[in-house]
Amino acid sequence: MSKILVVAEHGNGTVRKATLTTLQMARDLAAKKGSSIDIAVLGHGVGGVAEALKGYGAETIHVADHADLAYPLAPTWAKVIADIAQAADADVVAMSASTTGKDILPRVAARLEAGMASDVVAVVDTDDGPGFRRPMWAGALLADVVIDSDVWVVTARGSAFDAAAATGGSSDIEAFAADPAAAASRTRFVKFDATASDRPSLDEADVVVAGGRGLKSAEGFSQVMEPLADAFGAAIGASRAAVDDGYAPNDYQIGQTGKVVAPQLYVAVAISGAIQHLAGMKNSKVIVAINTRDDEPIHKIADYSLKADAFTAVPELVEKLAARG
Amino acid sequence: MKILVTAKRVTDPNAKLVINDDGNWIDDDVEYILNPFCENAIEAALQLAEAGDDVETVAIGIGDDEVQRFIRQGALARGVDRGIWVEAEEAELDSDGIARILKAVVEKEEPDLVLLGKQAVDGDSNQVAQLLAEMLGWPQATFASDVTIEGNEAIVTREVDGGLETLAIGMPCVVSADLRLNDPRYASLAGIMKAKKKEMDEYEPDDLDIDDLDPKVRVVAMHEPAGRSAGVAVADVDELIAKLATEARVI
Ligand SMILES: Cc1cc2nc3c(=O)[nH]c(=O)nc-3n(C[C@H](O)[C@H](O)[C@H](O)COP(=O)(O)OP(=O)(O)OC[C@H]3O[C@@H](n4cnc5c(N)ncnc54)[C@H](O)[C@@H]3O)c2cc1C
Ligand SMILES: Nc1ncnc2c1ncn2[C@@H]1O[C@H](COP(=O)(O)O)[C@@H](O)[C@H]1O
């Protein structure tokens, strides 16, 4: 019988939303393929993560707890994921299309001689059975793909799936005797410089406010965007131009080559809306554009366009939102 | 040291792609460019060559004979020493097939470092570098925004969710370039002239003893995404707040 292995993402002992959106993709696929679902939890000291995932309808949660898996290095994680998939006889391996999933899962595909569909946004029926829909050309076209190999490897775009809800019941938790050592050669972790932020993460926020090159400097960016984010309880994003010019950290970038978000509300401030930027936010529920011009590509998709200087309009917006209480 | 770097052509991101009756995109009249991420990879190779002693750089492109132009103009004219063209019907290959071809070329050339783009902006798969690294059993550092060589290691800063990660990976290894790795140079006139005489090896997959290139992933249909239409212009901040509260109901 078909079995989908979902690889969990977690941090500081808690399950990331990316795990649940991938789980939802797996449920969609399971419904078409008649599969059961297992979960793999890799890391060190991750018993709590496995416990937290018990009520989501997985048959078995495989826990690979090992000091050498504490940090997700691609060669070691890929080996252990592939080992679990083989031991559990899984014919689908899925993980989120986060930078971690993108880094690791192709190596899993190579180990399992599997075809891989990246960054899928839906599970679809095709004449050749269940397949996956995925954006290409920065989302200008959507392709439906089928995988012909025995094992399938998939990464799921977080913003395209709801977080799977708990279903009750209780999965079996099984320790997996991981042997990462064989793959561990020649990769040394040096450091991680985290982007400091107390705000919700871009993939989990209901509101995203994003700033562009029109904010002119790092000071301009923070002076305009920070109070706006405070007012909405929002995550902050940026265009590539704003990141390239050093106004915002790299992991704020939204777009084809950055993060893809689909919040309830997206406020684009001083962003023109190049196709590569739109690829990362055009599925947001409500889009607001604040721009000194009214004829930019962003205006073709914005629900509400305010033609105004961000340096005066945004502070006014912040003040008036605060006044509403 | 030897560096192998990729030159892949992609459709111009600004081209309007249309779907024909067969459900595939029409490529008549579409302009092609060098994949932007390959430009970053090529620039990185050139900078490492300039910083080191005795570094040979080799560019590889896989595809039909048009690809040769991108190897010459995109890589050799900028300063890469020589080219390799593997003739193949790119549309019939998936990332796995591209990685298999690259693996065979790596085994022939024995580079210390393979530099690729993190993704091809046509298929947006973001797989080939990682597939290649696993097929070779080599370490990888994807999404690189900084690469230096220290002794026998590449020290690579990676753009990842949540911040910047630094890895030290032993050579031989695979690195995939992100856009902030560097600013690709323009080819000089002298470079363009020199490129015409640079060596270009040609292979077909058969010459490389590759047994299986059947794609594992097949596109069965293409769709245009549901369009989103323009909304309304609001006159001022008050009207914006009113719309957000009563019409959109998001505040
Ligand atoms: C391979 C590739 C991948 C890419 N990936 C991405 C990606 O992932 N994400 C991304 O965002 N881009 C990406 N880009 C870049 C993209 O093509 C655009 O260059 C970029 O999005 C432009 O950013 P911007 O809108 O901030 O700047 P600009 O296009 O310069 O727009 C600035 C805007 O600010 C407005 N403005 C100026 N002053 C003010 C003011 N005082 N108040 C209000 N408005 C003002 C202007 O009218 C203008 O609309 C990519 C490009 C390539 C080639
Ligand atoms: N036909 C090709 N020729 C040379 N390099 C390629 C080719 N296709 C993909 N690549 C390389 O693989 C990278 C990732 O591609 P992809 O996994 O398809 O997004 C690209 O940025 C290129 O460096």
Side-chain angles (χ1 to χ4, degrees), chain A residues 110, chain B residues 62 93-106 116 127-133 135-136 210 213:
Chain B
I62 302 163
L93 293 170
D94 60 2
S95 297
D96 181 79
I98 297 284
R100 279 171 201 274
I101 292 173
L102 290 174
K103 174 176 183 257
V105 170
V106 166
L116 306 91
Q127 295 181 10
V128 171
Q130 300 89 314
L131 288 168
L132 175 65
M135 287 174 185
L136 292 165
I210 301 170
L213 281 175

Side-chain angles (χ1 to χ4, degrees), chain A residues 39-57:
Chain A
I39 297 175
V41 179
L42 281 70
H44 192 42
V46 289
V49 174
E51 279 297 320
L53 286 167
K54 258 169 99 169
Y56 286 87

Side-chain angles (χ1 to χ4, degrees), chain B residues 163-230:
Chain B
L164 290 170
E165 175 191 283
T166 306
L167 296 181
I169 53 175
M171 292 193 282
C173 59
V174 174
V175 171
S176 83
D178 216 318
L179 294 170
R180 274 177 284 278
L181 180 55
N182 49 44
D183 291 316
R185 69 192 65 187
Y186 290 100
S188 65
L189 200 58
I192 295 169
M193 298 312 290
K194 269 197 217 154
K196 293 189 174 138
K197 297 194 198 75
K198 284 184 179 170
E199 181 188 332
M200 175 96 76
D201 293 332
E202 298 180 10
Y203 298 105
E204 288 181 25
D206 276 349
D207 308 330
L208 297 164
D209 293 327
I210 301 170
D211 45 355
D212 175 19
L213 281 175
D214 289 344
K216 297 182 164 76
V217 181
R218 253 181 320 126
V219 175
V220 293
M222 293 265 196
H223 313 271
E224 303 205 3
R228 192 174 174 125
S229 44

Side-chain angles (χ1 to χ4, degrees), chain A residues 211-216 238-242 244 253-259 269-278 280 290-293 295-299 308-311, chain B residues 13 33 35-37 121 179:
Chain A
R213 175 150 52 195
L215 295 171
K216 295 180 181 72
S239 70
R240 176 186 167 198
D244 283 0
Q253 182 178 316
I254 291 176
Q256 178 190 20
T257 53
K259 290 199 172 118
V269 181
I271 290 178
S272 61
I275 178 171
Q276 295 91 354
H277 186 80
L278 302 188
I290 301 178
N291 199 301
T292 42
R293 302 173 61 115
D295 55 353
E296 295 280 51
I298 192 80
H299 297 111
D309 186 333
F311 290 97
Chain B
I33 60 165
N35 182 33
F37 291 95
V121 299
L179 294 170

Side-chain angles (χ1 to χ4, degrees), chain A residues 20-36:
Chain A
L20 302 182
T21 49
T22 307
L23 203 50
Q24 185 56 50
M25 188 282 295
R27 286 181 185 173
D28 293 354
L29 180 60
K32 293 192 193 293
K33 212 171 148 69
S35 327
S36 64

